[in-house]
Amino acid sequence: MHNANDVLFILLGAIMVLAMHAGFAFLEVGTVRKKNQVNALVKIIVDFAISTIAYFFIGYGIAYNLHFFDAAPTLSENYGYGLVKFFFLLTFAAAIPAIVSGGIAERSKFYPQLIATFFIAGFIYPFFEGISWNGAYGIQDWLNSSFGASFHDFAGSIVVHAVGGWIALAAVLHLGPRHGRYGKKGEIFAHPPSNIPFLALGAWILTVGWFGFNVMSAQAIDGISGLVAINSLMAMVGGILASCLVGKNDPGFVHNGPLAGLVAVCAGSDIMHPLGALMTGLVAGALFVFTFTLTQNKWKIDDVLGVWPLHGLCGVWGGIAAGIFGQVALGGMGGVSLISQLIGTGLGILIAFVGGFAVYGLLKVVLGLRLSQEQEYEGADLSIHKITATPNND
């Protein structure tokens, strides 16, 4: 049984994570070129609507074997706790397409992405969510019996962030780089951010909302823990410092640094010591800068916002870090197995990448994923939405 305080607690969490989608939007707006800013805003808000429909009618049932086809008096039992829990978990599901959006920016068609969003929020994400958070298919029981603990992901380093990042990688590989990003002789042509203040605003909105993302993952007020809040804070700070140092004061790296730390600490935020969380954030901040640079410059994977390094790889590090710094020997709470963390993390990567590669591959064949070269040159704002971000000033 849940009381009204539990409903309010998880509702506030849902609202905070809903607000994070504004952060996703402005982070993308500030990073893309000016001619693609409107598209970033429209994608994020429409993706949320599509995610809601897909998760309400299909995804939530896959993950938790629950539906919303009872009469309103039944749905409102326990103060409607089941409904606000859905709202909270929906905001997590909708984060996946928001993550993907940043990777495929500036050259992706609009409607194929909305179709992809439906399949991501309705099928791919809930499948792994059910395994991790609802014990589906007996995998968690097997890990617990075999290695002494089930796969632990308190707030979604793997379930949300790594899944989103690896789906994004699949989409980016199908799309290919933006025209003019790489030369025929190996040259690299920079496309600098259009608006650092908007980029910073997006990062700040995400950072503040993340404390709802992590702390409210307890899903009941008697499960609240100050440890989660402080671990989130320490990982955030670690991410900022490492990205500032390794990224040589670059504002794009600095403002993604807290996000890298927060991505990584989600999994173990309830079981780490604050010093372990700080170390987790430091590693994540450095990891993001290093892998973003490697991805863009050496591997020539044109992931515009670096969502695979940020969410995909820092998320993977978070799953592993929970198995390290959650150990009692390192000041953690215990009850976690590094082997289970590795297996669970690997399973998340597999489901996300294979699922994402299949969905985007099918859409590529049937509808096409990319704007034409002319449309891309003109910009997604005019090509898709017929208006620029500042129509009176252009």
Side-chain angles (χ1 to χ4, degrees):
M1 293 290 290
H2 293 276
N3 57 37
N5 288 332
D6 289 337
V7 173
L8 179 60
F9 176 74
I10 198 170
L11 176 60
L12 291 174
I15 293 167
M16 290 180 73
V17 185
L18 175 62
M20 290 176 71
H21 287 74
F24 284 120
F26 278 96
L27 189 71
E28 185 172 336
V29 167
T31 305
V32 299
R33 289 170 291 178
K34 190 176 180 182
K35 61 185 178 180
N36 297 295
Q37 290 179 330
V38 172
N39 182 242
L41 294 168
V42 175
K43 272 192 304 180
I44 298 295
I45 198 167
V46 180
D47 272 341
F48 189 89
I50 297 292
S51 296
T52 301
I53 297 300
Y55 197 65
F56 183 89
F57 287 103
I58 302 170
Y60 197 67
I62 290 174
Y64 299 102
N65 300 313
L66 295 171
H67 63 81
F68 298 101
F69 303 114
D70 295 319
T74 302
L75 295 177
S76 61
E77 290 176 356
N78 294 324
Y79 301 92
Y81 177 83
L83 297 175
V84 292
K85 180 180 178 180
F86 160 78
F87 182 16
F88 181 67
L89 292 170
L90 161 68
T91 59
F92 282 50
I96 309 291
I99 290 167
V100 174
S101 175
I104 64 174
E106 301 205 335
R107 76 276 204 203
S108 62
K109 289 183 176 180
F110 186 63
Y111 289 108
Q113 171 56 17
L114 296 185
I115 295 169
T117 291
F118 185 87
F119 283 98
I120 290 166
F123 297 95
I124 301 173
Y125 168 76
F127 179 66
F128 185 63
E129 180 188 18
I131 291 172
S132 300
W133 288 344
N134 196 41
Y137 310 111
I139 293 173
Q140 289 284 39
D141 290 338
W142 173 73
L143 289 172
N144 188 50
S145 62
S146 300
F147 307 109
S150 57
F151 170 60
H152 186 90
D153 190 355
F154 180 70
S157 287
I158 306 300
V159 178
V160 178
H161 298 288
V163 166
W166 285 86
I167 291 174
L169 175 63
V172 168
L173 291 176
H174 274 302
L175 272 170
R178 290 166 287 178
H179 289 292
R181 183 71 175 91
Y182 303 111
K184 294 180 180 179
K185 297 180 181 179
E187 309 99 320
I188 300 170
F189 300 100
H191 291 341
S194 61
N195 193 310
I196 296 297
F198 275 162
L199 187 158
L201 175 64
W204 269 109
I205 294 170
L206 284 165
T207 297
V208 173
W210 223 297
F211 286 84
F213 196 101
N214 284 2
V215 174
M216 270 74 163
S217 283
Q219 298 186 22
I221 198 160
D222 63 1
I224 193 170
S225 172
L227 183 66
V228 176
I230 296 304
N231 282 344
S232 301
L233 176 69
M234 297 302 282
M236 177 194 96
V237 169
I240 295 169
L241 295 176
S243 63
C244 183
L245 180 64
V246 180
K248 300 177 182 178
N249 310 324
D250 180 279
F253 286 141
V254 170
H255 285 93
N256 276 281
L259 312 183
L262 286 161
V263 163
V265 83
C266 285
S269 56
D270 62 327
I271 57 173
M272 292 180 180
H273 187 279
L275 292 178
L278 176 61
M279 184 58 65
T280 298
L282 286 167
V283 172
L287 177 66
F288 170 68
V289 175
F290 177 74
T291 54
F292 179 88
T293 306
L294 193 65
T295 301
Q296 297 282 339
N297 297 345
K298 187 170 183 179
W299 296 336
K300 293 182 171 55
I301 297 173
D302 192 16
D303 176 352
V304 180
L305 267 66
V307 296
W308 179 58
L310 180 66
H311 297 274
L313 298 181
C314 290
V316 166
W317 161 238
I320 297 168
I324 299 171
F325 296 111
Q327 301 289 344
V328 173
L330 293 176
M333 301 287 284
V336 65
S337 161
L338 181 57
I339 297 176
S340 292
Q341 294 305 109
L342 291 169
I343 293 172
T345 298
L347 182 62
I349 292 170
L350 180 66
I351 291 170
F353 187 75
V354 171
F357 202 83
V359 167
Y360 281 97
L362 182 62
L363 287 170
K364 183 177 182 179
V365 171
V366 176
L367 296 174
L369 294 175
R370 284 194 70 132
L371 297 172
S372 69
Q373 187 169 352
E374 182 180 351
Q375 289 173 319
E376 186 181 332
Y377 177 79
E378 188 178 42
D381 292 357
L382 285 174
S383 298
I384 298 172
H385 309 289
K386 313 305 180 188
I387 192 168
T388 62
T390 53
N392 295 326
N393 300 322
D394 289 341

